[in-house]
Amino acid sequence: MKSQMIFLDALADIFQGIYLKTQPGDKGQIERVVRIHNLMALELRGEFIEEELIAEKMDRFRVREGQIIVSLRGFPLKASVVGADTAGVVVNSNFAVLTLIKDVDPFFLVGLLRSVSFNRTIRSHFSSSGVPSLKLSQLKKFAIPLVSDEVQRQMGMVFRAFERYQTAMEVLLAERGQQVESYVGQLLQGGLS
């Protein structure tokens, strides 16, 4: 499987969110806003925080289905694909939004960006003081190994299957942990029944 290295900004139009909080006297409206915990899976999900935002500026920062959101703060890199049910949420300056301009499988790209191996290669790009952060210009110049459409599709499916497996294992471990705690509780109350 031969790959060609290509900069991320050659695969996607990339822009950074903006500071959207209202100031005294601003007319705002309540909107759902992306937070880092919404990027814990390959697809954007979870509860979104609601904030009052400057109405006339926010439409440009609403995400659409198929776009990719990447966190510019925190390490390792977090990224998620926007699905139909999360389209319309707003991104602030802690995030970059990628709109693919080449025919690239979004789950392949997100899985790659989130991978341990890729994060090892980009570690030096993050600031080392305070919360690790990344400049938009650095993100744009990440070298992405581009493979054939079929390999991208297959790898995207593997990333999604692995995430489903990992989630199922976490649920199973939580259930087993509850069973163990139940046994311990019974022991402490006089014995197992």
Side-chain angles (χ1 to χ4, degrees):
M1 170 176 40
K2 193 107 167 133
S3 65
Q4 169 192 357
M5 299 304 275
I6 187 164
F7 289 132
L8 191 55
D9 66 354
L11 297 176
D13 286 328
I14 305 171
F15 69 88
Q16 185 171 357
I18 191 167
Y19 185 77
L20 294 166
K21 289 268 196 165
T22 57
Q23 300 297 317
D26 286 341
K27 182 179 181 205
Q29 65 187 55
I30 302 298
E31 291 289 332
R32 294 183 311 155
V33 179
V34 173
R35 292 290 180 240
I36 191 68
H37 70 271
N38 300 122
L39 275 69
M40 295 307 188
L42 290 171
E43 192 166 325
L44 190 67
R45 63 176 57 144
E47 296 294 321
F48 297 91
I49 192 163
E50 291 188 348
E51 292 183 8
E52 185 176 4
L53 304 178
I54 302 169
E56 68 271 5
K57 290 185 179 179
M58 84 181 123
D59 282 341
R60 171 167 154 53
F61 301 99
R62 287 183 195 281
V63 293
R64 297 184 317 273
E65 183 177 1
Q67 288 182 313
I68 296 170
I69 300 175
V70 178
S71 175
L72 297 173
R73 294 177 50 90
F75 187 85
L77 197 63
K78 303 281 187 289
S80 294
V81 177
V82 178
D85 57 333
T86 55
V89 298
V90 179
V91 294
N92 63 27
S93 60
N94 292 326
F95 301 95
V97 177
L98 285 64
T99 304
L100 295 172
I101 55 176
K102 297 272 189 208
D103 191 19
V104 176
D105 184 294
F107 290 99
F108 160 75
L109 184 56
V110 166
L112 178 72
L113 292 172
R114 296 168 60 94
S115 72
V116 172
S117 297
F118 185 79
N119 274 273
R120 270 191 217 115
T121 67
I122 63 169
R123 185 177 210 52
S124 64
H125 294 281
F126 282 82
S127 67
S128 57
S129 61
V131 175
S133 60
L134 184 65
K135 293 178 183 168
L136 187 64
S137 60
Q138 293 169 308
L139 176 68
K140 288 179 175 185
K141 294 306 173 193
F142 282 167
I144 304 297
L146 199 57
V147 291
S148 72
D149 292 348
E150 180 60 23
V151 172
Q152 287 179 44
R153 188 186 64 72
Q154 289 174 357
M155 288 183 72
M157 288 173 44
V158 167
F159 287 135
R160 285 180 281 181
F162 180 72
E163 182 175 82
R164 284 190 303 273
Y165 174 77
Q166 194 172 26
T167 300
M169 291 305 298
E170 289 169 2
V171 168
L172 181 62
L173 285 171
E175 290 171 355
R176 295 300 178 254
Q178 288 174 349
Q179 285 178 333
V180 168
E181 286 302 315
S182 174
Y183 296 149
V184 170
Q186 289 176 36
L187 280 172
L188 293 173
Q189 294 178 3
L192 290 171
S193 53

